[in-house]
Structures are given as structure tokens and as C-alpha cells.
Amino acid sequence: MPRSPSRRPLGRLEAEVLAALAGLGGSARTAELVERLDGDPAYTTVNTILHRLHEKGLVSRTRAGRHYHYRLAVDESELVAGRMHEHLRHASDPVSVLNRFVRTLTSEEARHLRELLEGPGERE
């Protein structure tokens, strides 16, 4: 049975694979992901990560010949927001972390953040 994604934080490579999968429209084969990832990871490494993500219920897969075709089974923004929240929760000074994070935003990202914070919108 797949584990809940909130049980264990995602590893860095797992997060990168999920982001690459999202960047490819949420669906790809292992070889496509290998080409998309930085650092030239081995095909077998990416395949292992995809297998783990499948076990965690974060991706689904369908057989395509001898290989699998993977699809995101979760919303990427929910995963990333969860990781950000987890980091804040473990910080000794979350306000300083937020301050430093906000100072690294591009002007466009800061504008979007202001709009989200000031505008009437659905809060999750």
C-alpha cells in the first residue's frame, strides 16, 4: 500500500524528479526525465527514484512496452508548499527564515506574493 506523502519528507532527488515531471506536463518516461535533470543522473538512479515515488503514491505508472510511463498523482504546488511549511516548522526562528526567503524573491515573485496576501482569495 502506498505511503502517505506527508509521512516522510521527500529527498532532494525525489523533489527534482517530481519537478521535472511537472515541467514535462505531468507525464513522461524515465529517459525523458534523465535528459531533463541536472547533474547527468544515471538512468537506473532515476528509475529507482520513480519506483520509490510510485510506492509513496506520488506518481502513477502504466506499462509502455518494456518500460513505464509515469504521471504525477499529486499536485506539485501542494507538495512544494508542504516542504516549505515543514522547513518553517523546524526552524528555530521561522520569521527570520521567511524574511530571508522574501528578500530572495524576484520583483515579479514578490508582486505575486503581495497580490496573494492582500487580495481576497481562497486560503488553504
Side-chain angles (χ1 to χ4, degrees):
M1 175 153 190
R3 286 183 251 166
S4 167
S6 61
R7 264 186 145 171
R8 181 188 298 172
L10 291 176
R12 182 174 169 196
L13 187 54
E14 288 176 323
E16 290 175 17
V17 168
L18 287 171
L21 191 56
L24 289 168
S27 173
R29 293 172 291 127
T30 304
E32 294 170 305
L33 290 165
V34 167
E35 291 175 6
R36 183 83 176 218
L37 294 167
D38 291 334
D40 199 25
Y43 181 95
T44 53
T45 300
V46 175
N47 217 35
T48 298
I49 294 299
L50 286 164
H51 179 75
R52 289 180 184 161
L53 291 170
H54 180 257
E55 286 181 337
K56 292 179 180 184
L58 300 175
V59 299
S60 61
R61 67 183 184 194
T62 54
R63 185 66 89 170
R66 293 181 11 190
H67 305 282
Y68 286 107
H69 192 88
Y70 292 90
R71 291 189 186 287
L72 283 177
V74 294
D75 183 303
E76 181 197 21
S77 62
E78 184 178 334
L79 285 173
V80 174
R83 286 197 309 269
M84 292 167 66
H85 190 299
E86 189 71 15
H87 286 293
L88 283 175
R89 190 171 72 82
H90 291 301
S92 62
D93 187 356
V95 173
S96 291
V97 173
L98 282 171
N99 183 37
R100 191 165 292 236
F101 174 75
V102 168
R103 291 178 184 276
T104 65
L105 296 175
T106 65
S107 58
E108 186 173 339
E109 291 167 337
R111 182 179 57 78
H112 287 298
L113 181 58
R114 270 192 299 282
E115 289 172 2
L116 287 169
L117 293 172
E118 294 170 358
E122 180 180 297
R123 292 186 183 234
E124 292 185 65

